[in-house]
């Protein structure tokens, strides 16, 4: 083989090695970016494994939708539990724990989610959603008072010890199961949620409230009344 042919063959070999290296590097970059993307988007679905799945299973177990093991494996039982939860709160029942589903559960939907004291950013979002659904149209003080009732229940030994547990407790808030729940929190309801978390309690420690013009529940009317704010009577 002539020197020119050797040189051409060598250059072709180098070009092949270089192209192979670039393909490998691109594939590695894609995998890293995909991994980061999933971490940011927090998308867990059938076949997923890891700590995020454990958090989902733990939350579903707390809410009464999952009876399996908290093993970090997103199997069919976890998928079915997610579907049942999604159906119960009126969102798309696809069995995939995306960011919206995690927000409704009260779990952080991003790896960069902030926290406020003992409450996460998604806790505040969920609290704001309750305020929006239950007290939309009430005065700002009345909205904060509704948020305070939720937090008072979290602190009470008679109720679940998380915001999501209190919100999704069976029969606790009628708005969770009607069309009001589809309304997104406004800036006002988010601010009211934050004020409640910061310690403002216009309800003065109440665990219940009701609208006397709408409720037919006789038991709630027997509770000691503390204050009335707008359309809501707050009681213990």
């Amino acid at each position: 083989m002539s020197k020119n042919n050797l040189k051409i063959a060598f250059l072709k070999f180098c070009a092949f090695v270089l192209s192979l290296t670039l393909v490998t590097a691109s594939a590695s970059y894609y995998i890293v970016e995909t991994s980061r993307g999933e971490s940011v988007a927090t998308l867990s679905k059938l076949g997923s494994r890891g700590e995020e799945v454990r958090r989902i299973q733990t939350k579903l177990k707390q809410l009464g939708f999952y009876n399996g093991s908290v093993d970090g494996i997103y199997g069919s039982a976890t998928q079915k539990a997610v579907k049942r939860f999604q159906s119960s709160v009126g969102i798309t029942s696809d069995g995939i724990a995306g960011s919206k589903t995690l927000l409704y559960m009260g779990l952080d939907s991003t790896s960069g989610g902030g926290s406020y004291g003992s409450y996460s950013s998604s806790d505040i979002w969920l609290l704001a959603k309750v305020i929006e659904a239950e007290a939309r149209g009430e005065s700002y003080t009345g909205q904060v008072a509704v948020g305070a009732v939720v937090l008072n229940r979290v602190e009470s030994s008679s109720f679940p010890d998380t915001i999501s547990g209190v919100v999704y407790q069976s029969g606790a808030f009628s708005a969770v199961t009607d069309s009001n729940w589809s309304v997104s929190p406004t800036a006002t309801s988010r601010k009211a949620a934050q004020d409640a978390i910061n310690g403002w309690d216009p309800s003065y420690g109440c665990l219940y409230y009701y609208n006397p013009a709408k409720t037919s529940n006789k038991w709630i009317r027997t509770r000691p009344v503390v204050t009335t704010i707008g359309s809501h009577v707050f009681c213990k």
Side-chain angles (χ1 to χ4, degrees):
M1 185 179 290
S2 67
K3 288 184 178 181
N4 284 337
N5 288 338
L6 284 173
K7 185 176 181 180
I8 291 171
F10 177 73
L11 289 175
K12 286 183 177 180
F13 174 75
C14 290
F16 171 76
V17 172
L18 179 59
S19 64
L20 183 62
T21 302
L22 288 174
V23 169
T24 303
S26 297
S28 299
Y29 177 77
Y30 176 78
I31 292 170
V32 170
E33 286 304 300
T34 299
S35 175
R36 288 177 182 173
E38 288 179 352
S39 175
V40 172
T42 320
L43 178 63
S44 293
K45 56 186 178 180
L46 189 65
S48 297
R49 293 171 177 259
E51 186 58 34
E52 183 61 37
V53 178
R54 290 189 183 90
R55 293 177 65 220
I56 293 167
Q57 290 171 328
T58 299
K59 179 61 67 173
L60 289 169
K61 188 178 282 283
Q62 290 172 349
L63 297 176
F65 291 94
Y66 180 66
N67 295 318
S69 301
V70 179
D71 53 11
I73 301 173
Y74 205 116
S76 59
T78 301
Q79 183 189 51
K80 289 177 182 177
V82 170
K83 285 184 176 181
R84 286 193 294 270
F85 171 78
Q86 291 170 326
S87 178
S88 74
V89 298
I91 58 178
T92 302
S93 181
D94 57 9
I96 298 173
S99 57
K100 185 173 184 178
T101 296
L102 295 184
L103 276 174
Y104 274 67
M105 285 184 185
L107 294 173
D108 280 328
S109 60
T110 64
S111 58
S115 63
Y116 305 81
S118 59
Y119 297 110
S120 68
S121 56
S122 56
D123 283 329
I124 296 175
W125 182 90
L126 188 58
L127 183 60
K129 190 166 180 61
V130 174
I131 293 171
E132 184 70 27
E134 290 275 320
R136 186 169 63 258
E138 294 294 317
S139 67
Y140 184 72
T141 300
Q143 292 185 35
V144 176
V146 166
V149 167
V150 174
L151 298 178
N152 291 338
R153 290 188 182 188
V154 172
E155 296 300 320
S156 171
S157 60
S158 300
F159 295 89
D161 59 3
T162 63
I163 288 177
S164 59
V166 166
V167 170
Y168 293 123
Q169 187 174 31
S170 179
F173 298 98
S174 60
V176 171
T177 57
D178 64 29
S179 59
N180 287 309
W181 199 240
S182 64
V183 180
S184 297
T186 62
T188 300
S189 59
R190 292 196 299 270
K191 185 175 184 298
Q194 186 62 69
D195 277 341
I197 283 175
N198 289 343
W200 184 16
D201 184 2
S203 80
Y204 302 104
C206 285
L207 296 173
Y208 306 96
Y209 63 87
Y210 63 93
N211 185 333
K214 295 181 177 181
T215 186
S216 59
N217 187 308
K218 294 181 179 179
W219 176 84
I220 194 69
R221 292 177 181 272
T222 67
R223 308 304 301 172
V225 174
V226 174
T227 187
T228 298
I229 306 174
S231 301
H232 288 141
V233 173
F234 292 82
C235 50
K236 291 190 174 180

